[in-house]
Amino acid sequence: MPDPASPAASLPVPASPAASLPGPALPATSLPAAAPEPPAGPADRPGYRAVFRVREFRFVFVAHLFSLLGVVVSELALTVLVYDLTRSPLLSSLTFALGFLPYLLGGTLLAGLTDRLPPRRILVVCDLVCSACVAAMVLPATPVAVLLVLRCAIAVVSPVFNGTRMATLADILGEGDLFVLGRSLLRIVSQSALLTGFAVGGVLLTVVPPRGALAVTTVTFLVSALLLRLGTARRPARAAGSAAGGLSGTWAVLRNRRVRALMLMFWVPPLFAVVPEALAAPYADEIGVSTAALGLLMCALPVGTIAGELFAGSFLDAATRSRIVLPLAVTGVLPYLLYAPEPGVALAVAALFLAGATGAYTLGLDAWFVAAVPEEQRGRAMTLMTAGMMTVQGIGMAGAGIAAEFAPVHTVVAGTGVVGTLCLLAAAVELRASGATSGATEK
């Protein structure tokens, strides 16, 4: 599932497992702990290679690839299918939007499951639910209304999958640098899917009809479920019988000021960051450029994000990544001010790349978050965090569209740079006041 972007994930992708399938599942008490070792210098820094040396992570990584592939292709195929059946642009766009809206529902009402059930069972069941929903979409007799309901069902379980997977990464990799780098790798894959996933889906749709493409994604979800079942160890629920359910458990997490402030810092940047992407097509039309230029505008932000994460994960140690969290987060949308004079494609692409590169702050923020959340609430907290990130992106896109009805696109994007920076400054002040920045290594 995608990563804040599918469950089937951050809705949360694959390679081939580099190790043989495991034998019998280990008892929970015998699971080896991945002890985080704070790097003392460049030679001691784990790096991304160290993450791939952990056998369980390789399976999780490959499963993420398959799941994300299923989500991206199914989104595209379903959107095309609904348009073919209805010839309605509104219903076609609604099909895509429904991938965001149910995240809030699933993230708040189902988050408690992530700590009260064994994590491997949750991950496998979520993938199976997604596979079953897509299989139902393939049936020719399925009406459009049911297609939209099935789309919502996938989006509802997505935050549960993503939150459980993130919490499980902490079990597999420990709570230190390996966890941070593992999370970074999954995000990089998800960002890369934005660049390649729709292209793959588009090519697939030239060969097979939309329902045929959906049938392919049914298999990718099943492969993800199989990899997670065979490649990850059985672990008990973190808080079986003790975690509060429903909204009461959600409020229990949010009453922790440090956790609440950290979540806010995860939620505010994407609320504003998505604005130029949401308005890329109208902006290309506003300045009168080609479809190829539009592609550059759409790619610049994710390319910058990938570059920033790779640099921070490869060349910066944990202490440095912690120090740059607030400076990068607060200045993340400042490059959007370059839109004020209605720039050409080159300057707009540079602004978007710079904004994406500031996303390197998330590596340090991940370390703060996993250290701040009590273990028995870890699954729920991470589910809420990922659900919130997806929800605010939908809100940001909708808000950008509304604003662009009343003002030129370049003015809306530049205004986002101003308003977003002010909001991020407020979030940073609250984060400092909560003590989260000084508690990155505390439990």
Side-chain angles (χ1 to χ4, degrees):
M1 302 184 175
D3 218 317
S6 136
S10 141
L11 93 121
V13 252
S16 59
S20 58
L21 295 179
L26 297 172
T29 55
S30 66
L31 291 172
E37 299 180 4
D44 302 318
R45 204 175 299 142
Y48 288 116
R49 288 185 182 180
V51 181
F52 281 112
R53 294 191 191 106
V54 180
R55 182 173 176 277
E56 273 192 274
F57 177 79
R58 294 197 296 268
F59 277 86
V60 171
F61 182 82
V62 174
H64 178 58
L65 287 171
F66 276 102
S67 182
L68 184 56
L69 177 64
V71 169
V72 172
V73 175
S74 65
E75 284 177 353
L76 179 59
L78 183 59
T79 300
V80 173
L81 177 61
V82 169
Y83 183 74
D84 286 346
L85 293 174
T86 65
R87 292 298 165 182
S88 169
L90 174 61
L91 287 177
S92 180
S93 62
L94 179 62
T95 303
F96 192 81
L98 286 174
F100 290 92
L101 301 180
Y103 256 78
L104 185 60
L105 177 66
T108 53
L109 297 184
L110 302 180
L113 296 176
T114 58
D115 291 319
R116 299 192 317 190
L117 296 174
R120 186 176 68 180
R121 183 188 305 170
I122 296 174
L123 295 173
V124 171
V125 168
C126 284
D127 264 333
L128 293 178
V129 167
C130 290
S131 182
C133 288
V134 176
M137 295 175 186
V138 175
L139 300 176
T142 306
V144 172
V146 176
L147 290 175
L148 297 180
V149 170
L150 292 169
R151 178 74 177 93
C152 286
I154 292 175
V156 166
V157 301
S158 291
V160 178
F161 181 97
N162 288 331
T164 303
R165 184 184 59 201
M166 194 191 307
T168 302
L169 277 184
D171 298 331
I172 295 172
L173 300 174
E175 300 173 10
D177 224 29
L178 286 182
F179 167 79
V180 170
L181 294 175
R183 279 282 298 143
S184 175
L185 280 171
L186 296 188
R187 276 196 303 267
I188 288 170
V189 167
S190 296
Q191 288 292 333
S192 300
L194 297 176
L195 302 175
T196 61
F198 288 118
V200 171
V203 171
L204 183 62
L205 287 171
T206 65
V207 180
V208 298
R211 292 190 194 275
L214 288 170
V216 171
T217 65
T218 301
V219 177
T220 65
F221 286 127
L222 290 176
V223 171
S224 175
L226 183 64
L227 288 169
L228 292 170
R229 175 62 182 82
L230 297 178
T232 60
R234 182 183 61 200
R235 293 176 172 84
R238 291 179 184 80
S242 62
L247 293 177
S248 60
T250 297
W251 292 125
V253 172
L254 295 178
R255 278 197 297 268
N256 184 322
R257 187 182 182 187
R258 284 177 62 192
V259 173
R260 190 171 65 243
L262 286 164
M263 283 192 182
L264 195 63
M265 189 54 76
F266 275 109
W267 294 342
V268 176
L271 174 65
F272 298 100
V274 298
V275 170
E277 285 186 303
L279 298 178
Y283 186 67
D285 182 64
E286 182 179 289
I287 62 176
V289 296
S290 65
T291 303
L294 172 59
L296 289 175
L297 292 172
M298 293 293 291
C299 292
L301 191 67
V303 168
T305 302
I306 292 169
E309 290 232 14
L310 284 174
F311 178 83
S314 301
F315 300 106
L316 303 182
D317 59 26
T320 303
R321 292 198 296 264
S322 183
R323 285 194 295 269
I324 65 175
V325 169
L326 292 183
L328 288 185
V330 168
T331 59
V333 294
L334 270 181
Y336 293 174
L337 293 177
L338 294 175
Y339 269 75
E342 196 177 33
V345 173
L347 188 56
V349 166
L352 293 172
F353 181 87
L354 288 173
T358 64
Y361 78 88
T362 53
L363 281 80
L365 197 61
D366 276 337
W368 295 356
F369 192 74
V370 74
V373 178
E375 184 176 357
E376 66 275 9
Q377 294 180 330
R378 186 176 290 160
R380 183 192 295 271
M382 292 180 172
T383 298
L384 290 172
M385 185 265 282
T386 56
M389 288 179 66
M390 290 303 296
T391 301
V392 299
Q393 288 181 66
I395 294 172
M397 290 179 180
I402 294 172
E405 290 290 327
F406 302 96
V409 173
H410 70 280
T411 302
V412 173
V413 178
T416 297
V418 175
V419 177
T421 300
L422 292 175
C423 292
L424 285 164
L425 280 170
V429 169
E430 171 60 16
L431 190 57
R432 281 200 172 279
S434 72
T437 59
S438 62
T441 59
E442 299 173 6
K443 281 303 291 176

